[in-house]
Amino acid sequence: MYNNQFARLKLSLPAKIAELKKIAFLDDQLLALQDPTELWRQLLSKAFPQAKSSTAKQAKLASLAATADKDLLTYLKTEQPVTVTSFYNVALQLLGFLPVTDFELDQPLKMMRQTNLSYNEVLQTPQDVIAAWYDLLTTSTKLGQTWLDKLAGDGYFANWQNVTQPLFFNGKAQPIFATSKLLYETVYVETDLDTDEDGQADLVKVDLIRPVETQTGLKVPVLFTASPYNQGTNDQAADKLMHKMNVPLTHKKPGSEDLTPPTVPTATPKKRPVNGITPTAQETFSDEFGYSLNDYFLARGFAVVYSAGIGTKDSDGLRTCGTAAETQAAKAVIEWLHGDRVAFVSRSSQQAIKAWWSNGQVAMTGKSYLGTLATAVATTGVKGLKTVIAEAAISSWYDYYRDGGLVVAPGGFPGEDADVLALECQSRQQVYGDFLRVKKIAAQKLTAITAGQDRSSGNYNAFWDQRNYLKDFSKIKADVILVHGLNDWNVKLRNAYQAWEKLQKLPISQKLILHQGQHIYINQLRSLDFTDLMNLWLSYELYGIANQAPQLIPQVLVQDNTQIEKWQAYDNWKTAKTVKFYLKPAQLTTDQPTQHIVSFNDQLPAEKFTYYQQQPAAWEHDLLESKATSPLQKHKLIFTSQPLPQDVLLRGVPHVKLQVAVNSDHGLLSLMLVDYGQAKRLRSAPSVLSMDQLQLGYHWQTASPVDFRLEKNPSPWKMITKGHLNLQNRQHPWQVDELKANTFYSLQIDLQPMFYHLPAGRQLGLIVYATDFGMTVRGNQDLTYSLQLADCQLELPVSNF
């Protein structure tokens, strides 16, 4: 374990004393003690909230070792003085570490240093003990949560009396609210939309969870997750709509796409009359497809709201996959929470209800489509939205389903497209009596999505332009945290990179966290205090706590790919320094290029083509295999560098210039950047460290700590990044150029962004190929591609360690 804590406030001793008094670890009587050992004893007596009697507490003390030959109870009874060794022997055990197994009892500070845990080197006065105890409460346990969070889960705040306001410690909200008394309510927010064209303004269902203390005057901020999945999904129907990937690439007629949005006649929908206002909801719910980070905050004085949006179960309207209508539906929920829009107590009622318990301050949370909607709503500049925490979010839907004039599937979902996702999320049809009223218009609109997405060309067109949030980033007023996986091939990294570049031009606070995962949440990673960071951030944003969150949280946090549990802070994603590699036969070199033409053919034998469709992992293995024995040897070009003399950090967008010809009037290229060299690399997914051992509150939800582990065996390579291009879209994805057979053309390709540590001794590889069995269409066509190497080069943004 290596401890990475970026959310800890470093306070003065008077501030620590004041905060320890707030959470009842100190009082004036304890502060009057002159004996540091007695003070330690008294503090320890409060460290076992699950022990309700003195004998039970003594048993807890006796279960811990103070030294190599004395348990803690005996140590204290024999009036041994508190020492650095005894204090941190006990501290490590309280944090969940085991003597002998994890650390030696004669040198606990060695363990503290190895794991980057905070410690005090001097414990001679009561003030030293107080400072060390405070720091211990804010230190991560072996499972990755702060010790105070662990104590809270054991019941430290269980009997907190007369809760009227949230409690903050070390700049973060504490779990003093009784989750057993949470209120669960459903309301229906009225939008300005009529996406099902029935003449009535669409209502969207909103499920909310709030502390019972709001009934007696407490106003709380809201975490809002707009999740089109949380009312159910139409998996079978969506599977039937999946598109075929085994289709040939065809020639496209030259020209430019008209990006002018179509003119659609609109009528102002009829609003529902309001016949009275009530403070009491009339519907409730028992379960929610939630997010454990939201659950964590429910114990800390925040409300949580979920809404699936238009076209979902118990809501009006239809799904439109990424349009402004979906954005406006989510925005309407925030307007209601801010007091600027009406909601009703049921879908058929005219009785309105206000969010009278809300303080009007809202954050949006969520991953993938959920994070995408958070980003989209931020671009509206809606009042009340203070911040978004957008994880694995799409910033432009073209960069989700397309790339460089090609249909390019999200990783793991070949054949999916905007129409499939719209149908997948349109859970309104699961309540079929309701859906019958809009069945006809739903079919028409789904057909329109299929036509608009234009799988036949792969061009950027008006359909995709309407789903490009980047155009409206200048309107963002909320502070933004972006979180993305460096190995996410579902929502590819270009979405985060382009968003980050735009955000830095705005007068807002923005943070970026890049992890080594795929398409995952990271709030359960042990190696990063992500949940604590978000607590610091949301306490600042929504409660106005002066905890210096914008200054304390690094601008860019990146998980290293070469060793476990290492996180580094940076000032930016990209670097200005670049290095150029030239292409020679089978080589990447910094020397000048030479005159060579090299070629490969994309057509495979029928049996191998069928095999790779069924076994994409085998295809990727054979593609990366650099030996001449690879079955794909004649169907790709590999260029490798000499072993690197020093570590290199690849930061930003790889840029490739090529001189290419193909024996047809159509063609595509795929490129892959590869790390070659035998090494134990991080596994592609985090491993569960301990089942359900993270407590999100007292007698409340639990989560499982996870983290990335190294592979058991060394592997010879790892893909760093890749990219794709239709040769007819050499200049822009919206512009189609002519392509003549056997004619060389100059083109440039930006691969997906990267942040990659390449150690000394490794080799950098560039693979040039055509069909990507995981992402592109698969025509298995007899296409031969040739490169004029004299005009080919790879430009990499780099910085050295």
Side-chain angles (χ1 to χ4, degrees), residues 111 154 271 278 350 431 440 566 678 752 796:
M111 177 65 175
D154 289 339
K271 295 296 185 73
T278 177
Q350 294 180 357
V431 187
K440 184 177 180 180
K566 181 180 179 182
Q678 286 286 335
Q752 293 290 333
L796 294 176

Side-chain angles (χ1 to χ4, degrees), residues 325-440:
E326 292 187 349
T327 302
Q328 291 299 319
K331 176 191 174 190
V333 176
I334 294 176
E335 290 172 330
W336 175 69
L337 293 168
H338 192 253
D340 305 325
R341 184 170 288 274
V342 69
F344 296 94
V345 292
S346 77
R347 199 171 170 193
S348 59
S349 175
Q350 294 180 357
Q351 194 170 36
I353 185 169
K354 295 183 178 181
W356 50 266
W357 44 265
S358 167
N359 72 358
Q361 308 299 297
V362 182
M364 290 191 73
T365 64
K367 170 180 70 74
S368 196
Y369 208 155
L370 292 60
T372 300
L373 285 166
T375 301
V377 173
T379 65
T380 69
V382 61
K383 291 181 180 179
L385 182 61
K386 298 292 290 183
T387 185
V388 301
I389 303 168
E391 304 185 54
I394 296 166
S395 59
S396 172
W397 283 86
Y398 184 84
D399 293 314
Y400 184 65
Y401 285 123
R402 304 287 186 269
D403 190 9
L406 290 169
V407 172
V408 174
F413 296 91
E416 188 188 299
D417 216 322
D419 55 352
V420 178
L421 188 58
L423 180 58
E424 172 85 15
C425 297
Q426 194 158 277
S427 56
R428 184 177 181 183
Q429 65 191 61
Q430 295 182 8
V431 187
Y432 212 73
D434 173 41
F435 186 66
L436 283 173
R437 292 188 283 271
V438 296
K439 182 178 178 181
K440 184 177 180 180

Side-chain angles (χ1 to χ4, degrees), residues 408-532:
V408 174
F413 296 91
E416 188 188 299
D417 216 322
D419 55 352
V420 178
L421 188 58
L423 180 58
E424 172 85 15
C425 297
Q426 194 158 277
S427 56
R428 184 177 181 183
Q429 65 191 61
Q430 295 182 8
V431 187
Y432 212 73
D434 173 41
F435 186 66
L436 283 173
R437 292 188 283 271
V438 296
K439 182 178 178 181
K440 184 177 180 180
I441 187 66
Q444 294 172 0
K445 292 210 168 184
L446 187 62
T447 299
I449 293 175
T450 301
Q453 69 194 14
D454 184 17
R455 285 184 69 88
S456 62
S457 78
N459 293 341
Y460 183 94
N461 59 17
F463 176 92
W464 298 111
D465 196 57
Q466 289 177 283
R467 291 161 171 80
N468 184 356
Y469 309 123
L470 295 165
K471 298 186 304 177
D472 294 318
F473 263 49
S474 61
K475 302 175 186 176
I476 293 177
K477 297 177 182 177
D479 294 336
V480 177
I481 291 181
L482 295 181
V483 183
H484 216 99
L486 289 163
N487 292 290
D488 190 344
W489 290 99
N490 183 328
V491 178
K492 304 173 194 73
L493 274 164
R494 184 171 293 137
N495 285 278
Y497 186 86
Q498 293 178 146
W500 180 248
E501 290 291 288
K502 291 275 189 180
L503 288 172
Q504 290 177 88
K505 300 175 183 177
L506 303 180
I508 62 171
S509 292
Q510 65 280 131
K511 306 293 178 183
L512 173 67
I513 301 176
L514 298 173
H515 58 86
Q516 290 298 325
Q518 299 171 333
H519 198 61
I520 63 170
Y521 282 115
I522 66 165
N523 56 301
Q524 292 165 217
L525 280 184
R526 180 178 72 175
S527 60
L528 180 68
D529 59 338
F530 181 79
T531 297
D532 224 28

